[in-house]
Amino acid sequence: MLSTRAYWCEAIAHTPDDGRTFWLAAHHTSSPRLALRWLHTRARHISDQLDPPAARPVLAWLHDDQAHEHALTVLAHGAPYSHTIPDDAVRYLLTARPLTRQQP
């Protein structure tokens, strides 16, 4: 049996003051590059909703080639990757994790 890897991506919002967590979106994809592309798309959506000062770190991460290569390497080696976007009372968490599926 051959096993191949897929990736599960999620975006959640967490309010540390009261401990609530809100599921924003999820996506199943077939490669580390596609997983990272989905994380970038979600980060752009989140940054569009933030005030400009809070959006600056997100925009910096979106243009950080070294951070992207690190994320791709982590995912390709079978480890989960996460990126946190802090905003006043909310923390946005973007995650991608590998899944192994068996194929006949």
Side-chain angles (χ1 to χ4, degrees), residues 31-44 72:
S31 74
R33 192 162 304 280
L34 291 174
L36 188 57
R37 185 179 299 160
W38 187 86
L39 295 180
H40 283 185
T41 300
R42 296 309 306 171
R44 277 190 201 95
L72 288 173

Side-chain angles (χ1 to χ4, degrees), residues 38-91:
W38 187 86
L39 295 180
H40 283 185
T41 300
R42 296 309 306 171
R44 277 190 201 95
H45 292 166
I46 291 167
S47 72
D48 289 344
Q49 298 171 33
L50 298 174
D51 290 332
R56 276 196 271 282
V58 182
L59 298 173
W61 178 74
L62 287 170
H63 293 95
D64 186 342
D65 292 337
Q66 188 174 3
H68 302 164
E69 288 304 316
H70 171 73
L72 288 173
T73 300
V74 166
L75 289 168
H77 283 94
Y81 175 80
S82 67
H83 181 73
T84 302
I85 299 169
D87 183 35
D88 294 332
V90 180
R91 301 292 176 263

